[in-house]
Amino acid sequence: MTEEIKSGIVAEPGQTFGGSWTELKLEMVKRYMDSYAKALKNQPFGKIYIDAFAGTGYREMLVDEQSTPVLWEEAEAEATRIFAGSAKLSLNVVPPFDRYVFIEKSAKRLAELDDLKNEHPGLAGRIHLREDDANHAIPEICQKIDWKRNRAVMFLDPYGMSVDWSTMEAIARTKAIDVWILFPVGIGVNRLLKQRLEDIQPSWREKLNRVFGSSGWQSEFFKANPQPSLFEMETGSVKVSDSIGAITNYYQARLASVFPKVAPHPRYLCNTKRKSPMFILTFAMASDNPKAHKAGMDMARYILERQF
């Protein structure tokens, strides 16, 4: 079991987010983990689950989703109930993974994650906690594991626009990780896009460049203003009408530039009352094995495209 993992690794924003979209997200990822574990149970390599931004293993649900703030890191809200999060759900997968790596920047939340060992004593020796920023931890983990002898499922459930593109490149280089990504198209990226490109402040431009790994977003999300009004002194570049669609398509294209396979139809996760897109949940495979592609993509597409 854990001896099969040929590696020397071990394993602040608020956690009070969610609603029906959170439950849907967790349901889809859990279904993939279940299918993955069953499909690979007789394969001769170690199976690892990696959860970045693992939090406490639980998610807290808000009474009113409309109170969700502009960016995750600004969030503070009163929760009404707690239900199982991705870290906890991963420990209920049968057959179990050989190793669980939970990454969390907050020491307090990491200590709460440690309680999962008491809840799952049979898996305690397989659970590895790492107090670190995911953009530092993930590339190091990806480099240390022997990917000829191991495979992994990873879930990136970030607080806002926290995952650097260099982290995604590190995952892709392993040729062995299936990754589920929650990407904040509406609550993150779209909130930073002013109506005119020229009005986006430098720090926001740097954040967008870091998340996409390119400044190419500028020409995708903004177009020259063909008909400035009489009151406009500058023509500039104006935001495209379907900015959510443009953000989704661009991020999918960026993933496809480094991952051999990317699910063609990501799932939009919307707030309950306004039905406006907050995130996409998407899936990418680092493997370059056609047989792995067939199995993994079939599972992911079924999960993403099915109406739960």
Side-chain angles (χ1 to χ4, degrees), residues 139-176:
E140 184 178 298
I141 289 169
C142 288
Q143 187 174 26
K144 285 187 175 181
I145 292 176
D146 180 357
W147 294 112
K148 292 181 179 179
R149 305 178 71 177
N150 296 282
R151 299 292 183 272
V153 174
M154 179 183 291
F155 184 35
L156 290 177
D157 185 7
Y159 312 127
M161 298 165 58
S162 303
V163 181
D164 293 349
W165 187 250
S166 58
T167 298
M168 302 308 302
E169 291 176 319
I171 297 167
R173 283 194 295 269
T174 67
K175 301 297 182 184

PDB file of all heavy atoms in Angstrom, residues 139-176:
ATOM      1  N   PRO A 139       4.170  21.846  -7.593  1.00  0.00           N
ATOM      2  CA  PRO A 139       5.316  21.559  -8.461  1.00  0.00           C
ATOM      3  C   PRO A 139       6.360  20.669  -7.790  1.00  0.00           C
ATOM      4  O   PRO A 139       6.946  19.791  -8.437  1.00  0.00           O
ATOM      5  CB  PRO A 139       5.880  22.949  -8.773  1.00  0.00           C
ATOM      6  CG  PRO A 139       4.704  23.859  -8.656  1.00  0.00           C
ATOM      7  CD  PRO A 139       3.914  23.298  -7.506  1.00  0.00           C
ATOM      8  N   GLU A 140       6.570  20.866  -6.484  1.00  0.00           N
ATOM      9  CA  GLU A 140       7.548  20.039  -5.773  1.00  0.00           C
ATOM     10  C   GLU A 140       7.071  18.593  -5.672  1.00  0.00           C
ATOM     11  O   GLU A 140       7.838  17.650  -5.891  1.00  0.00           O
ATOM     12  CB  GLU A 140       7.776  20.619  -4.377  1.00  0.00           C
ATOM     13  CG  GLU A 140       8.837  19.891  -3.583  1.00  0.00           C
ATOM     14  CD  GLU A 140       9.070  20.528  -2.233  1.00  0.00           C
ATOM     15  OE1 GLU A 140       9.485  21.703  -2.204  1.00  0.00           O
ATOM     16  OE2 GLU A 140       8.820  19.854  -1.213  1.00  0.00           O
ATOM     17  N   ILE A 141       5.808  18.406  -5.346  1.00  0.00           N
ATOM     18  CA  ILE A 141       5.238  17.066  -5.274  1.00  0.00           C
ATOM     19  C   ILE A 141       5.311  16.379  -6.635  1.00  0.00           C
ATOM     20  O   ILE A 141       5.689  15.216  -6.743  1.00  0.00           O
ATOM     21  CB  ILE A 141       3.777  17.136  -4.778  1.00  0.00           C
ATOM     22  CG1 ILE A 141       3.744  17.501  -3.292  1.00  0.00           C
ATOM     23  CG2 ILE A 141       3.048  15.822  -5.018  1.00  0.00           C
ATOM     24  CD1 ILE A 141       2.365  17.843  -2.775  1.00  0.00           C
ATOM     25  N   CYS A 142       4.953  17.118  -7.670  1.00  0.00           N
ATOM     26  CA  CYS A 142       4.972  16.551  -9.027  1.00  0.00           C
ATOM     27  C   CYS A 142       6.376  16.117  -9.427  1.00  0.00           C
ATOM     28  O   CYS A 142       6.549  15.143 -10.168  1.00  0.00           O
ATOM     29  CB  CYS A 142       4.432  17.573 -10.024  1.00  0.00           C
ATOM     30  SG  CYS A 142       2.646  17.842  -9.907  1.00  0.00           S
ATOM     31  N   GLN A 143       7.375  16.826  -8.954  1.00  0.00           N
ATOM     32  CA  GLN A 143       8.759  16.505  -9.310  1.00  0.00           C
ATOM     33  C   GLN A 143       9.289  15.319  -8.512  1.00  0.00           C
ATOM     34  O   GLN A 143      10.078  14.518  -9.027  1.00  0.00           O
ATOM     35  CB  GLN A 143       9.645  17.733  -9.073  1.00  0.00           C
ATOM     36  CG  GLN A 143      11.065  17.558  -9.561  1.00  0.00           C
ATOM     37  CD  GLN A 143      11.866  18.842  -9.446  1.00  0.00           C
ATOM     38  OE1 GLN A 143      11.584  19.703  -8.607  1.00  0.00           O
ATOM     39  NE2 GLN A 143      12.863  18.995 -10.293  1.00  0.00           N
ATOM     40  N   LYS A 144       8.839  15.140  -7.276  1.00  0.00           N
ATOM     41  CA  LYS A 144       9.396  14.106  -6.410  1.00  0.00           C
ATOM     42  C   LYS A 144       8.815  12.710  -6.635  1.00  0.00           C
ATOM     43  O   LYS A 144       9.487  11.710  -6.409  1.00  0.00           O
ATOM     44  CB  LYS A 144       9.206  14.503  -4.946  1.00  0.00           C
ATOM     45  CG  LYS A 144      10.146  15.597  -4.478  1.00  0.00           C
ATOM     46  CD  LYS A 144      10.002  15.819  -2.980  1.00  0.00           C
ATOM     47  CE  LYS A 144      11.025  16.825  -2.476  1.00  0.00           C
ATOM     48  NZ  LYS A 144      10.909  17.027  -1.005  1.00  0.00           N
ATOM     49  N   ILE A 145       7.572  12.631  -7.036  1.00  0.00           N
ATOM     50  CA  ILE A 145       6.941  11.318  -7.189  1.00  0.00           C
ATOM     51  C   ILE A 145       7.454  10.621  -8.446  1.00  0.00           C
ATOM     52  O   ILE A 145       7.660  11.243  -9.484  1.00  0.00           O
ATOM     53  CB  ILE A 145       5.409  11.466  -7.240  1.00  0.00           C
ATOM     54  CG1 ILE A 145       4.878  11.911  -5.884  1.00  0.00           C
ATOM     55  CG2 ILE A 145       4.738  10.155  -7.647  1.00  0.00           C
ATOM     56  CD1 ILE A 145       3.390  12.175  -5.852  1.00  0.00           C
ATOM     57  N   ASP A 146       7.666   9.323  -8.334  1.00  0.00           N
ATOM     58  CA  ASP A 146       8.045   8.502  -9.478  1.00  0.00           C
ATOM     59  C   ASP A 146       6.779   8.157 -10.252  1.00  0.00           C
ATOM     60  O   ASP A 146       6.024   7.253  -9.880  1.00  0.00           O
ATOM     61  CB  ASP A 146       8.735   7.221  -8.995  1.00  0.00           C
ATOM     62  CG  ASP A 146       9.163   6.322 -10.148  1.00  0.00           C
ATOM     63  OD1 ASP A 146       8.875   6.655 -11.323  1.00  0.00           O
ATOM     64  OD2 ASP A 146       9.757   5.262  -9.875  1.00  0.00           O
ATOM     65  N   TRP A 147       6.539   8.864 -11.341  1.00  0.00           N
ATOM     66  CA  TRP A 147       5.290   8.700 -12.076  1.00  0.00           C
ATOM     67  C   TRP A 147       5.278   7.479 -12.971  1.00  0.00           C
ATOM     68  O   TRP A 147       4.247   7.152 -13.563  1.00  0.00           O
ATOM     69  CB  TRP A 147       4.974   9.972 -12.856  1.00  0.00           C
ATOM     70  CG  TRP A 147       4.682  11.111 -11.945  1.00  0.00           C
ATOM     71  CD1 TRP A 147       5.432  12.232 -11.749  1.00  0.00           C
ATOM     72  CD2 TRP A 147       3.548  11.244 -11.068  1.00  0.00           C
ATOM     73  NE1 TRP A 147       4.856  13.056 -10.812  1.00  0.00           N
ATOM     74  CE2 TRP A 147       3.694  12.467 -10.382  1.00  0.00           C
ATOM     75  CE3 TRP A 147       2.432  10.435 -10.801  1.00  0.00           C
ATOM     76  CZ2 TRP A 147       2.766  12.900  -9.446  1.00  0.00           C
ATOM     77  CZ3 TRP A 147       1.499  10.877  -9.874  1.00  0.00           C
ATOM     78  CH2 TRP A 147       1.671  12.093  -9.203  1.00  0.00           C
ATOM     79  N   LYS A 148       6.370   6.792 -13.080  1.00  0.00           N
ATOM     80  CA  LYS A 148       6.359   5.514 -13.788  1.00  0.00           C
ATOM     81  C   LYS A 148       5.708   4.430 -12.927  1.00  0.00           C
ATOM     82  O   LYS A 148       5.268   3.404 -13.437  1.00  0.00           O
ATOM     83  CB  LYS A 148       7.779   5.097 -14.160  1.00  0.00           C
ATOM     84  CG  LYS A 148       8.422   5.997 -15.213  1.00  0.00           C
ATOM     85  CD  LYS A 148       9.814   5.511 -15.566  1.00  0.00           C
ATOM     86  CE  LYS A 148      10.443   6.404 -16.632  1.00  0.00           C
ATOM     87  NZ  LYS A 148      11.829   5.947 -16.981  1.00  0.00           N
ATOM     88  N   ARG A 149       5.668   4.687 -11.620  1.00  0.00           N
ATOM     89  CA  ARG A 149       5.147   3.685 -10.692  1.00  0.00           C
ATOM     90  C   ARG A 149       3.908   4.158  -9.932  1.00  0.00           C
ATOM     91  O   ARG A 149       3.394   3.449  -9.064  1.00  0.00           O
ATOM     92  CB  ARG A 149       6.246   3.307  -9.692  1.00  0.00           C
ATOM     93  CG  ARG A 149       7.527   2.849 -10.375  1.00  0.00           C
ATOM     94  CD  ARG A 149       8.623   2.519  -9.386  1.00  0.00           C
ATOM     95  NE  ARG A 149       8.336   1.297  -8.651  1.00  0.00           N
ATOM     96  CZ  ARG A 149       9.171   0.756  -7.763  1.00  0.00           C
ATOM     97  NH1 ARG A 149      10.345   1.344  -7.521  1.00  0.00           N
ATOM     98  NH2 ARG A 149       8.842  -0.336  -7.124  1.00  0.00           N
ATOM     99  N   ASN A 150       3.421   5.352 -10.263  1.00  0.00           N
ATOM    100  CA  ASN A 150       2.259   5.916  -9.561  1.00  0.00           C
ATOM    101  C   ASN A 150       1.352   6.674 -10.517  1.00  0.00           C
ATOM    102  O   ASN A 150       1.802   7.162 -11.566  1.00  0.00           O
ATOM    103  CB  ASN A 150       2.724   6.864  -8.453  1.00  0.00           C
ATOM    104  CG  ASN A 150       3.496   6.171  -7.363  1.00  0.00           C
ATOM    105  OD1 ASN A 150       2.930   5.524  -6.497  1.00  0.00           O
ATOM    106  ND2 ASN A 150       4.829   6.283  -7.401  1.00  0.00           N
ATOM    107  N   ARG A 151       0.089   6.782 -10.138  1.00  0.00           N
ATOM    108  CA  ARG A 151      -0.895   7.601 -10.844  1.00  0.00           C
ATOM    109  C   ARG A 151      -1.666   8.388  -9.800  1.00  0.00           C
ATOM    110  O   ARG A 151      -1.694   8.020  -8.632  1.00  0.00           O
ATOM    111  CB  ARG A 151      -1.860   6.733 -11.662  1.00  0.00           C
ATOM    112  CG  ARG A 151      -1.209   5.899 -12.742  1.00  0.00           C
ATOM    113  CD  ARG A 151      -0.649   6.751 -13.873  1.00  0.00           C
ATOM    114  NE  ARG A 151      -0.097   5.922 -14.939  1.00  0.00           N
ATOM    115  CZ  ARG A 151       1.137   5.471 -14.986  1.00  0.00           C
ATOM    116  NH1 ARG A 151       1.975   5.750 -13.972  1.00  0.00           N
ATOM    117  NH2 ARG A 151       1.561   4.747 -15.991  1.00  0.00           N
ATOM    118  N   ALA A 152      -2.329   9.472 -10.230  1.00  0.00           N
ATOM    119  CA  ALA A 152      -3.019  10.309  -9.253  1.00  0.00           C
ATOM    120  C   ALA A 152      -4.251  10.981  -9.836  1.00  0.00           C
ATOM    121  O   ALA A 152      -4.338  11.241 -11.045  1.00  0.00           O
ATOM    122  CB  ALA A 152      -2.071  11.376  -8.707  1.00  0.00           C
ATOM    123  N   VAL A 153      -5.185  11.252  -8.949  1.00  0.00           N
ATOM    124  CA  VAL A 153      -6.292  12.164  -9.206  1.00  0.00           C
ATOM    125  C   VAL A 153      -6.042  13.391  -8.335  1.00  0.00           C
ATOM    126  O   VAL A 153      -5.721  13.265  -7.153  1.00  0.00           O
ATOM    127  CB  VAL A 153      -7.655  11.547  -8.839  1.00  0.00           C
ATOM    128  CG1 VAL A 153      -8.761  12.590  -8.996  1.00  0.00           C
ATOM    129  CG2 VAL A 153      -7.948  10.345  -9.720  1.00  0.00           C
ATOM    130  N   MET A 154      -6.189  14.565  -8.930  1.00  0.00           N
ATOM    131  CA  MET A 154      -6.003  15.813  -8.185  1.00  0.00           C
ATOM    132  C   MET A 154      -7.251  16.662  -8.306  1.00  0.00           C
ATOM    133  O   MET A 154      -7.891  16.698  -9.356  1.00  0.00           O
ATOM    134  CB  MET A 154      -4.799  16.598  -8.723  1.00  0.00           C
ATOM    135  CG  MET A 154      -4.543  17.923  -8.005  1.00  0.00           C
ATOM    136  SD  MET A 154      -3.163  18.869  -8.709  1.00  0.00           S
ATOM    137  CE  MET A 154      -1.771  17.837  -8.253  1.00  0.00           C
ATOM    138  N   PHE A 155      -7.601  17.343  -7.217  1.00  0.00           N
ATOM    139  CA  PHE A 155      -8.697  18.295  -7.237  1.00  0.00           C
ATOM    140  C   PHE A 155      -8.161  19.658  -6.844  1.00  0.00           C
ATOM    141  O   PHE A 155      -7.604  19.826  -5.755  1.00  0.00           O
ATOM    142  CB  PHE A 155      -9.796  17.850  -6.276  1.00  0.00           C
ATOM    143  CG  PHE A 155     -11.024  18.732  -6.307  1.00  0.00           C
ATOM    144  CD1 PHE A 155     -11.461  19.325  -7.482  1.00  0.00           C
ATOM    145  CD2 PHE A 155     -11.745  18.961  -5.140  1.00  0.00           C
ATOM    146  CE1 PHE A 155     -12.590  20.127  -7.504  1.00  0.00           C
ATOM    147  CE2 PHE A 155     -12.879  19.762  -5.152  1.00  0.00           C
ATOM    148  CZ  PHE A 155     -13.303  20.339  -6.339  1.00  0.00           C
ATOM    149  N   LEU A 156      -8.315  20.625  -7.744  1.00  0.00           N
ATOM    150  CA  LEU A 156      -7.924  22.012  -7.483  1.00  0.00           C
ATOM    151  C   LEU A 156      -9.191  22.824  -7.251  1.00  0.00           C
ATOM    152  O   LEU A 156      -9.932  23.115  -8.188  1.00  0.00           O
ATOM    153  CB  LEU A 156      -7.143  22.583  -8.674  1.00  0.00           C
ATOM    154  CG  LEU A 156      -5.742  22.031  -8.922  1.00  0.00           C
ATOM    155  CD1 LEU A 156      -5.151  22.644 -10.181  1.00  0.00           C
ATOM    156  CD2 LEU A 156      -4.841  22.303  -7.730  1.00  0.00           C
ATOM    157  N   ASP A 157      -9.433  23.150  -6.011  1.00  0.00           N
ATOM    158  CA  ASP A 157     -10.635  23.878  -5.609  1.00  0.00           C
ATOM    159  C   ASP A 157     -10.173  25.174  -4.953  1.00  0.00           C
ATOM    160  O   ASP A 157     -10.224  25.326  -3.737  1.00  0.00           O
ATOM    161  CB  ASP A 157     -11.421  22.997  -4.624  1.00  0.00           C
ATOM    162  CG  ASP A 157     -12.752  23.605  -4.239  1.00  0.00           C
ATOM    163  OD1 ASP A 157     -13.132  24.642  -4.821  1.00  0.00           O
ATOM    164  OD2 ASP A 157     -13.406  23.056  -3.337  1.00  0.00           O
ATOM    165  N   PRO A 158      -9.700  26.116  -5.757  1.00  0.00           N
ATOM    166  CA  PRO A 158      -8.977  27.263  -5.187  1.00  0.00           C
ATOM    167  C   PRO A 158      -9.869  28.353  -4.628  1.00  0.00           C
ATOM    168  O   PRO A 158     -11.055  28.452  -4.920  1.00  0.00           O
ATOM    169  CB  PRO A 158      -8.200  27.790  -6.395  1.00  0.00           C
ATOM    170  CG  PRO A 158      -9.102  27.481  -7.546  1.00  0.00           C
ATOM    171  CD  PRO A 158      -9.719  26.143  -7.218  1.00  0.00           C
ATOM    172  N   TYR A 159      -9.240  29.199  -3.827  1.00  0.00           N
ATOM    173  CA  TYR A 159      -9.887  30.402  -3.334  1.00  0.00           C
ATOM    174  C   TYR A 159      -9.654  31.490  -4.378  1.00  0.00           C
ATOM    175  O   TYR A 159      -8.593  32.093  -4.456  1.00  0.00           O
ATOM    176  CB  TYR A 159      -9.282  30.829  -2.002  1.00  0.00           C
ATOM    177  CG  TYR A 159      -9.156  29.704  -1.013  1.00  0.00           C
ATOM    178  CD1 TYR A 159      -7.934  29.427  -0.404  1.00  0.00           C
ATOM    179  CD2 TYR A 159     -10.256  28.909  -0.698  1.00  0.00           C
ATOM    180  CE1 TYR A 159      -7.828  28.405   0.508  1.00  0.00           C
ATOM    181  CE2 TYR A 159     -10.141  27.877   0.216  1.00  0.00           C
ATOM    182  CZ  TYR A 159      -8.930  27.632   0.822  1.00  0.00           C
ATOM    183  OH  TYR A 159      -8.815  26.620   1.721  1.00  0.00           O
ATOM    184  N   GLY A 160     -10.621  31.717  -5.196  1.00  0.00           N
ATOM    185  CA  GLY A 160     -10.456  32.728  -6.226  1.00  0.00           C
ATOM    186  C   GLY A 160      -9.436  32.310  -7.275  1.00  0.00           C
ATOM    187  O   GLY A 160      -9.308  31.151  -7.619  1.00  0.00           O
ATOM    188  N   MET A 161      -8.675  33.271  -7.754  1.00  0.00           N
ATOM    189  CA  MET A 161      -7.712  33.043  -8.826  1.00  0.00           C
ATOM    190  C   MET A 161      -6.347  32.737  -8.220  1.00  0.00           C
ATOM    191  O   MET A 161      -5.384  33.472  -8.394  1.00  0.00           O
ATOM    192  CB  MET A 161      -7.682  34.266  -9.733  1.00  0.00           C
ATOM    193  CG  MET A 161      -9.028  34.536 -10.410  1.00  0.00           C
ATOM    194  SD  MET A 161      -9.147  36.177 -11.125  1.00  0.00           S
ATOM    195  CE  MET A 161      -7.752  36.162 -12.251  1.00  0.00           C
ATOM    196  N   SER A 162      -6.264  31.609  -7.521  1.00  0.00           N
ATOM    197  CA  SER A 162      -5.068  31.305  -6.741  1.00  0.00           C
ATOM    198  C   SER A 162      -4.082  30.370  -7.421  1.00  0.00           C
ATOM    199  O   SER A 162      -2.959  30.215  -6.952  1.00  0.00           O
ATOM    200  CB  SER A 162      -5.479  30.689  -5.389  1.00  0.00           C
ATOM    201  OG  SER A 162      -6.336  31.549  -4.685  1.00  0.00           O
ATOM    202  N   VAL A 163      -4.498  29.710  -8.494  1.00  0.00           N
ATOM    203  CA  VAL A 163      -3.631  28.722  -9.125  1.00  0.00           C
ATOM    204  C   VAL A 163      -2.858  29.356 -10.273  1.00  0.00           C
ATOM    205  O   VAL A 163      -3.434  29.766 -11.282  1.00  0.00           O
ATOM    206  CB  VAL A 163      -4.437  27.512  -9.646  1.00  0.00           C
ATOM    207  CG1 VAL A 163      -3.505  26.484 -10.282  1.00  0.00           C
ATOM    208  CG2 VAL A 163      -5.240  26.879  -8.521  1.00  0.00           C
ATOM    209  N   ASP A 164      -1.540  29.441 -10.127  1.00  0.00           N
ATOM    210  CA  ASP A 164      -0.696  29.999 -11.184  1.00  0.00           C
ATOM    211  C   ASP A 164      -0.616  29.032 -12.360  1.00  0.00           C
ATOM    212  O   ASP A 164      -0.689  27.808 -12.188  1.00  0.00           O
ATOM    213  CB  ASP A 164       0.717  30.247 -10.657  1.00  0.00           C
ATOM    214  CG  ASP A 164       0.761  31.349  -9.616  1.00  0.00           C
ATOM    215  OD1 ASP A 164      -0.253  32.062  -9.445  1.00  0.00           O
ATOM    216  OD2 ASP A 164       1.808  31.495  -8.963  1.00  0.00           O
ATOM    217  N   TRP A 165      -0.404  29.591 -13.547  1.00  0.00           N
ATOM    218  CA  TRP A 165      -0.291  28.744 -14.732  1.00  0.00           C
ATOM    219  C   TRP A 165       0.923  27.821 -14.649  1.00  0.00           C
ATOM    220  O   TRP A 165       0.889  26.686 -15.129  1.00  0.00           O
ATOM    221  CB  TRP A 165      -0.218  29.591 -15.996  1.00  0.00           C
ATOM    222  CG  TRP A 165      -0.265  28.728 -17.226  1.00  0.00           C
ATOM    223  CD1 TRP A 165       0.752  28.475 -18.106  1.00  0.00           C
ATOM    224  CD2 TRP A 165      -1.389  27.975 -17.679  1.00  0.00           C
ATOM    225  NE1 TRP A 165       0.335  27.607 -19.084  1.00  0.00           N
ATOM    226  CE2 TRP A 165      -0.978  27.284 -18.846  1.00  0.00           C
ATOM    227  CE3 TRP A 165      -2.691  27.803 -17.231  1.00  0.00           C
ATOM    228  CZ2 TRP A 165      -1.836  26.448 -19.563  1.00  0.00           C
ATOM    229  CZ3 TRP A 165      -3.543  26.970 -17.935  1.00  0.00           C
ATOM    230  CH2 TRP A 165      -3.106  26.300 -19.082  1.00  0.00           C
ATOM    231  N   SER A 166       1.974  28.260 -14.019  1.00  0.00           N
ATOM    232  CA  SER A 166       3.158  27.416 -13.878  1.00  0.00           C
ATOM    233  C   SER A 166       2.833  26.150 -13.083  1.00  0.00           C
ATOM    234  O   SER A 166       3.441  25.092 -13.306  1.00  0.00           O
ATOM    235  CB  SER A 166       4.287  28.194 -13.181  1.00  0.00           C
ATOM    236  OG  SER A 166       3.867  28.662 -11.912  1.00  0.00           O
ATOM    237  N   THR A 167       1.859  26.229 -12.176  1.00  0.00           N
ATOM    238  CA  THR A 167       1.418  25.049 -11.432  1.00  0.00           C
ATOM    239  C   THR A 167       0.712  24.077 -12.359  1.00  0.00           C
ATOM    240  O   THR A 167       0.925  22.850 -12.280  1.00  0.00           O
ATOM    241  CB  THR A 167       0.487  25.466 -10.278  1.00  0.00           C
ATOM    242  OG1 THR A 167       1.218  26.308  -9.385  1.00  0.00           O
ATOM    243  CG2 THR A 167      -0.038  24.263  -9.532  1.00  0.00           C
ATOM    244  N   MET A 168      -0.125  24.587 -13.249  1.00  0.00           N
ATOM    245  CA  MET A 168      -0.807  23.721 -14.218  1.00  0.00           C
ATOM    246  C   MET A 168       0.205  23.044 -15.138  1.00  0.00           C
ATOM    247  O   MET A 168       0.059  21.857 -15.479  1.00  0.00           O
ATOM    248  CB  MET A 168      -1.808  24.532 -15.044  1.00  0.00           C
ATOM    249  CG  MET A 168      -2.875  25.253 -14.230  1.00  0.00           C
ATOM    250  SD  MET A 168      -3.754  24.164 -13.077  1.00  0.00           S
ATOM    251  CE  MET A 168      -4.428  22.932 -14.188  1.00  0.00           C
ATOM    252  N   GLU A 169       1.243  23.756 -15.526  1.00  0.00           N
ATOM    253  CA  GLU A 169       2.280  23.168 -16.378  1.00  0.00           C
ATOM    254  C   GLU A 169       3.012  22.042 -15.656  1.00  0.00           C
ATOM    255  O   GLU A 169       3.344  21.014 -16.263  1.00  0.00           O
ATOM    256  CB  GLU A 169       3.261  24.252 -16.821  1.00  0.00           C
ATOM    257  CG  GLU A 169       2.667  25.258 -17.790  1.00  0.00           C
ATOM    258  CD  GLU A 169       3.632  26.380 -18.136  1.00  0.00           C
ATOM    259  OE1 GLU A 169       4.340  26.863 -17.225  1.00  0.00           O
ATOM    260  OE2 GLU A 169       3.682  26.761 -19.326  1.00  0.00           O
ATOM    261  N   ALA A 170       3.259  22.221 -14.361  1.00  0.00           N
ATOM    262  CA  ALA A 170       3.927  21.174 -13.568  1.00  0.00           C
ATOM    263  C   ALA A 170       3.071  19.915 -13.518  1.00  0.00           C
ATOM    264  O   ALA A 170       3.587  18.788 -13.605  1.00  0.00           O
ATOM    265  CB  ALA A 170       4.215  21.685 -12.166  1.00  0.00           C
ATOM    266  N   ILE A 171       1.768  20.069 -13.369  1.00  0.00           N
ATOM    267  CA  ILE A 171       0.858  18.923 -13.350  1.00  0.00           C
ATOM    268  C   ILE A 171       0.885  18.213 -14.695  1.00  0.00           C
ATOM    269  O   ILE A 171       0.961  16.976 -14.770  1.00  0.00           O
ATOM    270  CB  ILE A 171      -0.574  19.386 -13.014  1.00  0.00           C
ATOM    271  CG1 ILE A 171      -0.627  19.986 -11.606  1.00  0.00           C
ATOM    272  CG2 ILE A 171      -1.563  18.220 -13.133  1.00  0.00           C
ATOM    273  CD1 ILE A 171      -1.910  20.740 -11.311  1.00  0.00           C
ATOM    274  N   ALA A 172       0.834  18.976 -15.767  1.00  0.00           N
ATOM    275  CA  ALA A 172       0.821  18.383 -17.109  1.00  0.00           C
ATOM    276  C   ALA A 172       2.099  17.605 -17.402  1.00  0.00           C
ATOM    277  O   ALA A 172       2.068  16.578 -18.088  1.00  0.00           O
ATOM    278  CB  ALA A 172       0.620  19.479 -18.152  1.00  0.00           C
ATOM    279  N   ARG A 173       3.210  18.075 -16.883  1.00  0.00           N
ATOM    280  CA  ARG A 173       4.487  17.405 -17.153  1.00  0.00           C
ATOM    281  C   ARG A 173       4.585  16.011 -16.532  1.00  0.00           C
ATOM    282  O   ARG A 173       5.405  15.201 -16.966  1.00  0.00           O
ATOM    283  CB  ARG A 173       5.655  18.271 -16.651  1.00  0.00           C
ATOM    284  CG  ARG A 173       5.978  19.451 -17.554  1.00  0.00           C
ATOM    285  CD  ARG A 173       7.342  20.051 -17.207  1.00  0.00           C
ATOM    286  NE  ARG A 173       7.366  20.630 -15.869  1.00  0.00           N
ATOM    287  CZ  ARG A 173       7.067  21.899 -15.597  1.00  0.00           C
ATOM    288  NH1 ARG A 173       6.703  22.728 -16.572  1.00  0.00           N
ATOM    289  NH2 ARG A 173       7.129  22.353 -14.355  1.00  0.00           N
ATOM    290  N   THR A 174       3.767  15.709 -15.540  1.00  0.00           N
ATOM    291  CA  THR A 174       3.855  14.391 -14.904  1.00  0.00           C
ATOM    292  C   THR A 174       3.437  13.270 -15.838  1.00  0.00           C
ATOM    293  O   THR A 174       3.860  12.128 -15.675  1.00  0.00           O
ATOM    294  CB  THR A 174       2.949  14.326 -13.658  1.00  0.00           C
ATOM    295  OG1 THR A 174       1.567  14.406 -14.049  1.00  0.00           O
ATOM    296  CG2 THR A 174       3.297  15.432 -12.675  1.00  0.00           C
ATOM    297  N   LYS A 175       2.568  13.552 -16.785  1.00  0.00           N
ATOM    298  CA  LYS A 175       2.008  12.537 -17.691  1.00  0.00           C
ATOM    299  C   LYS A 175       1.268  11.443 -16.920  1.00  0.00           C
ATOM    300  O   LYS A 175       1.125  10.323 -17.400  1.00  0.00           O
ATOM    301  CB  LYS A 175       3.112  11.901 -18.554  1.00  0.00           C
ATOM    302  CG  LYS A 175       3.883  12.888 -19.413  1.00  0.00           C
ATOM    303  CD  LYS A 175       2.967  13.562 -20.427  1.00  0.00           C
ATOM    304  CE  LYS A 175       3.718  14.522 -21.330  1.00  0.00           C
ATOM    305  NZ  LYS A 175       2.809  15.241 -22.258  1.00  0.00           N
ATOM    306  N   ALA A 176       0.784  11.788 -15.708  1.00  0.00           N
ATOM    307  CA  ALA A 176       0.188  10.737 -14.875  1.00  0.00           C
ATOM    308  C   ALA A 176      -0.956  11.218 -13.985  1.00  0.00           C
ATOM    309  O   ALA A 176      -1.519  10.411 -13.256  1.00  0.00           O
ATOM    310  CB  ALA A 176       1.267  10.110 -13.998  1.00  0.00           C
TER     311      ALA A 176
END
